[in-house]
Amino acid sequence: MTHERTSNRAGILFPALFVWALAVSSAAASPLVIAHRGASGYLPEHTLAAKAMAHAMGADYLEQDVVLTRDGEPIVLHDVYLEATTDVEQRFPDRARADGRFYAIDFTLAEVRQLSVHERTTSGEAGASAVYPRRFPVQSGTFTVPTLEEEIRFIAGMDRSRGTHTGLYIELKAPRLHQAAGHDMPRAILDVLERTGYADRKDQVFLQCFDDQTLRALREDYKTPLPLIQLIGENDWGEDSAVDYDYLRSEAGLDYIASYAQGIGPWLMQIYRGRDESGAAITSDLVARAQARGLAVHPYTFRADQLPEGFSDFDSLLALFLDELKVDGLFTDFPDLARRFIDGH
């Protein structure tokens, strides 16, 4: 399916979904706290421990980035590579590809279960170092990579014991890479949702992706009733998609998104553009233009230990996006701080 720059509105193609999206985007009085990879500001990302902490902190949704193993099992991992957050280089030193990376899709689930998960690191001449030095110690703890099904059942168990109704926010990572390897990623994820009873929970599951064609296939070919979120990156990031992200932020691009999705997930710096000479925040009109089309807006990523230039504290950043721009929700590594800010209003 080729990318078509259509101007059809969601209200024409999918009227019921348009009404649902409009209701979501109008609920700005209660913006969603989306735990980015769990409470990843405090515990290694995408571990069940990080999800349990985010759940206890009152996050509305817990994010699951999903890739597939060689035998087709959906696992919760942000990267298509394993070395940044696991000890794969020590466990399987001879399994890197020619580019030096250890691809999750080259490993079976049984092999992935042998890995230990640690805080995110980056490699340099001096060896691996923590991306966020003040977070959980890299060499501490015993954590593993969960399957998507294990994580969903874990969250459902916490919902039962705590009397809550926490949502899933699932990202399909690099679907074209998986397709090239012979895997049907959307089908694999939808099958897990079916087995766990979440396939029809429109009020409890979002599906997100950087690739527009994957989202269109989920709606048009797989017929999922679940709300879809078009992630918007930058064209130079090298995301696994042929879509033009500059176009997606245009008037015609937002019309196009509204024909198949219920919201957008933009990078926060596509909304906040810095400060003017007087020190006032410069912002784009992306939020207002998207919401005018019934699209919910859930920007990423809000980190108390990585503030954009021009902010001295986390609450000021939250105030701009939640109080002034009135986004419908946000992804944060610190769900407790966002929850406290929202509940304090």
Side-chain angles (χ1 to χ4, degrees):
M1 186 182 298
T2 58
H3 174 54
E4 299 174 1
R5 297 189 173 184
T6 176
S7 61
N8 290 331
R9 294 292 182 89
I12 297 173
L13 298 181
F14 301 104
L17 290 171
F18 178 79
V19 171
W20 179 92
L22 188 61
V24 170
S25 66
S26 65
S30 300
L32 300 177
V33 175
I34 306 159
H36 182 246
R37 312 179 199 173
S40 56
Y42 305 102
L43 285 162
E45 64 184 57
H46 282 320
T47 58
L48 293 184
K51 301 303 170 64
M53 190 171 195
H55 196 282
M57 288 174 167
D60 298 298
Y61 283 78
L62 308 182
E63 185 193 32
Q64 297 81 33
D65 291 311
V66 177
V67 302
L68 303 183
T69 61
R70 189 172 70 190
D71 42 353
E73 182 68 34
I75 59 174
V76 183
L77 187 78
H78 177 266
D79 306 316
V80 296
Y81 319 112
L82 289 160
E83 67 270 12
T85 56
T86 78
D87 61 350
V88 67
E89 292 173 286
Q90 289 73 47
R91 296 277 185 177
F92 300 99
D94 59 344
R95 296 284 293 278
R97 291 191 184 183
D99 62 3
R101 311 302 297 267
F102 293 77
Y103 288 73
I105 202 168
D106 293 339
F107 293 79
T108 65
L109 177 60
E111 290 171 330
V112 170
R113 290 199 184 283
Q114 299 177 44
L115 304 178
S116 178
V117 174
H118 54 68
E119 183 64 36
R120 177 168 290 273
T121 60
T122 183
S123 297
E125 293 183 2
S129 60
V131 173
Y132 302 101
R134 299 185 65 182
R135 295 191 181 183
F136 198 87
V138 172
Q139 302 302 329
S140 299
T142 302
F143 307 98
T144 57
V145 178
T147 67
L148 178 61
E149 184 164 348
E150 288 167 347
E151 176 158 322
I152 292 175
R153 296 191 185 282
F154 182 70
I155 293 169
M158 290 189 292
D159 275 348
R160 177 177 176 176
S161 63
R162 300 188 65 235
T164 52
H165 191 71
T166 308
L168 311 177
Y169 211 124
I170 300 171
E171 180 180 347
L172 289 77
K173 304 292 292 188
R176 301 199 309 169
L177 178 148
H178 288 88
Q179 184 179 30
H183 291 284
D184 186 342
M185 170 175 268
R187 182 75 269 157
I189 291 174
L190 292 175
D191 284 348
V192 172
L193 291 173
E194 187 68 37
R195 289 198 300 273
T196 54
Y198 281 77
D200 298 316
R201 298 192 191 184
K202 292 182 285 186
D203 64 334
Q204 204 173 356
V205 183
F206 285 104
L207 298 177
Q208 60 175 336
C209 191
F210 279 101
D211 182 50
D212 61 323
Q213 298 306 312
T214 296
L215 292 174
R216 289 185 62 177
L218 281 165
R219 176 68 66 231
E220 299 165 12
D221 301 331
Y222 296 91
K223 307 298 184 184
T224 179
L226 299 173
L228 307 178
I229 302 294
Q230 175 68 61
L231 290 169
I232 303 178
E234 292 289 308
N235 288 332
D236 61 1
W237 287 0
E239 292 295 339
D240 184 57
S241 178
V243 72
D244 179 352
Y245 295 113
D246 292 337
Y247 165 70
L248 290 185
R249 298 197 301 275
S250 71
E251 295 294 314
L254 290 172
D255 285 344
Y256 169 64
I257 293 172
S259 72
Y260 60 84
Q262 286 64 60
I264 61 171
W267 179 36
L268 68 86
M269 297 303 293
Q270 293 167 341
I271 300 171
Y272 169 70
R273 315 295 283 185
R275 302 277 175 175
D276 64 20
E277 293 181 359
S278 70
I282 303 170
T283 60
S284 72
D285 61 355
L286 179 60
V287 176
R289 290 190 293 113
Q291 290 175 341
R293 291 164 168 79
L295 294 169
V297 181
H298 299 160
Y300 61 88
T301 302
F302 291 74
R303 298 182 171 103
D305 55 356
Q306 192 181 54
L307 296 171
E309 186 175 352
F311 289 94
S312 60
D313 61 86
F314 196 49
D315 279 1
S316 296
L317 178 62
L318 296 176
L320 174 65
F321 279 82
L322 296 172
D323 295 343
E324 297 185 36
L325 298 171
K326 299 189 182 305
V327 298
D328 302 287
L330 52 80
F331 286 83
T332 178
D333 294 6
F334 299 86
D336 57 330
L337 302 183
R339 177 87 281 151
R340 184 183 65 190
F341 181 89
I342 292 170
D343 292 349
H345 281 51

